[in-house]
Amino acid sequence: MAGLRLRNPTMNAAGVLGISMPLLKRVYEGGAGAVVTKSLGPVPRNGHLNPTLISVEGGVLNAMGLPNPGADYYVEAIRALKREGVPVVASFFGASIEEFREVAGVLSDSGADALEVNVSCPNVEEEMGMLGADCLNTEKVTAAVKEVSKPPVFVKLSPNVTDIAEIARAAERGGADAITAVNTLKGIAVDVDFRRPILTNVTGGLSGPAIKPVALRCVWEVSKAVDLPVIGCGGISDWRDAVEYLLCGASAVEVGTAVMDGGYDIYGKIAEGIRGYLEANGFKGVQEVVGLAHEA
Ligand code: RRO
């Protein structure tokens, strides 16, 4: 996919377990085809004050606020993972096009196998999180990142837009090698006794089974709009969910929230389930089922 050859099409979703090297190594040992780091910025960042995470019906609402140790610090973790033979996707963000370019350069030099540009964080000020709500910015950020990146570049899109197909086409014009669809869906949780929002940031990003139909629709629309591989993300808990994504046009999947209940080995279980489905139905590989639901 996008020039990468992975042992299977599963990865952790950025932000989930991605803050330390040993946890990502455990994700790989749990069976993932590649691992994805927490989104890294140009400098270390604490993120928002707690509460930053709350369970809601069908998922989890988070407003972490991009806590991360900074790209320079994380380079050593990426190199350590590479020494262990783990394929690494480095997720990152910036507050301006110049910052995106700068961080992309650092992570490209780290030896990461791919970069995932996060233009879709719902939890920080507009200019830092949601450059990806706008076609022109998405194209400019992607082009700037591509200028300095040796490995393939995935662009991770937000579902919180009117027309995700148009944003995906902008990323393609900027030179993206793949599209990750999607980041979390913006929401609010309220405490009736305190009579106020629970998260200090007020709004947060919803993930988990509740968003699967929305994220699947996004994958469907993106895969129709662009001629690029799509990485599906949103509410995948088992292999059936993953196969739904493949059928809608994804070539790989990222699993995040489900690891909270399913544990690290969920990646291997999903990969095995996909393998079993392909075998049982006479398909020779993942690529043969990608987008099949569009033909129905
Ligand atoms: O750190 C976060 O608050 C966060 C990020 Br960067 C993101 O891309 N998506 C999300 O739900 N939370």
Side-chain angles (χ1 to χ4, degrees), residues 10-45:
T10 71
M11 294 172 249
N12 63 301
V16 176
L17 303 170
I19 211 83
S20 85
M21 180 273 176
L23 285 178
L24 284 179
K25 185 161 171 258
R26 183 67 185 83
V27 168
Y28 189 66
E29 288 164 359
V35 301
V36 187
T37 71
K38 172 70 183 162
S39 292
L40 302 162
V43 290
R45 203 183 136 92

Side-chain angles (χ1 to χ4, degrees), residues 38-39 48 62-67 118 120-123 156 183-184 205:
K38 172 70 183 162
S39 292
H48 296 314
N62 92 82
M64 306 308 295
L66 291 151
N118 186 355
S120 48
C121 176
N123 298 329
K156 184 164 183 181
N183 210 314
T184 50

Side-chain angles (χ1 to χ4, degrees), residues 212-232:
K212 195 183 78 177
V214 176
L216 270 177
R217 184 267 302 165
C218 290
V219 166
W220 180 276
E221 290 179 356
V222 169
S223 68
K224 269 175 71 171
V226 297
D227 196 15
L228 295 174
V230 180
I231 299 152

Side-chain angles (χ1 to χ4, degrees), residues 9-145:
T10 71
M11 294 172 249
N12 63 301
V16 176
L17 303 170
I19 211 83
S20 85
M21 180 273 176
L23 285 178
L24 284 179
K25 185 161 171 258
R26 183 67 185 83
V27 168
Y28 189 66
E29 288 164 359
V35 301
V36 187
T37 71
K38 172 70 183 162
S39 292
L40 302 162
V43 290
R45 203 183 136 92
N46 287 330
H48 296 314
L49 294 175
N50 283 324
T52 50
L53 191 90
I54 171 95
S55 278
V56 295
E57 298 92 327
V60 168
L61 198 62
N62 92 82
M64 306 308 295
L66 291 151
N68 80 96
D72 287 324
Y73 176 90
Y74 211 84
V75 162
E76 197 34 57
I78 293 172
R79 295 206 172 115
L81 285 163
K82 293 304 305 164
R83 282 195 295 275
E84 304 273 347
V86 180
V88 182
V89 179
S91 169
F92 70 103
F93 67 93
S96 63
I97 288 169
E98 216 21 73
E99 270 188 20
F100 270 99
R101 193 200 316 267
E102 179 196 329
V103 181
V106 171
L107 295 173
S108 173
D109 291 344
S110 75
D113 297 271
L115 304 188
E116 187 175 81
V117 192
N118 186 355
V119 287
S120 48
C121 176
N123 298 329
V124 286
E125 316 82 85
E126 195 88 325
E127 70 278 12
M128 192 182 304
M130 280 296 293
L131 278 171
D134 172 293
C135 284
L136 191 59
N137 280 332
T138 302
E139 183 176 344
K140 283 189 191 160
V141 168
T142 309
V145 167

Side-chain angles (χ1 to χ4, degrees), residues 189-278:
V190 174
D191 186 305
V192 293
D193 298 312
F194 287 106
R195 291 185 279 280
R196 63 179 63 164
I198 295 170
L199 300 171
T200 51
N201 190 55
V202 181
T203 61
L206 180 63
S207 60
I211 75 163
K212 195 183 78 177
V214 176
L216 270 177
R217 184 267 302 165
C218 290
V219 166
W220 180 276
E221 290 179 356
V222 169
S223 68
K224 269 175 71 171
V226 297
D227 196 15
L228 295 174
V230 180
I231 299 152
C233 181
I236 298 169
S237 305
D238 59 24
W239 68 264
R240 285 180 180 277
D241 295 331
V243 170
E244 287 177 39
Y245 272 87
L246 301 178
L247 294 172
C248 283
S251 297
V253 293
E254 291 182 353
V255 179
T257 306
V259 81
M260 291 172 72
D261 289 331
Y264 300 100
D265 297 332
I266 195 168
Y267 298 98
K269 286 183 192 147
I270 290 175
E272 270 315 301
I274 295 172
R275 194 187 310 277
Y277 174 85
L278 295 175

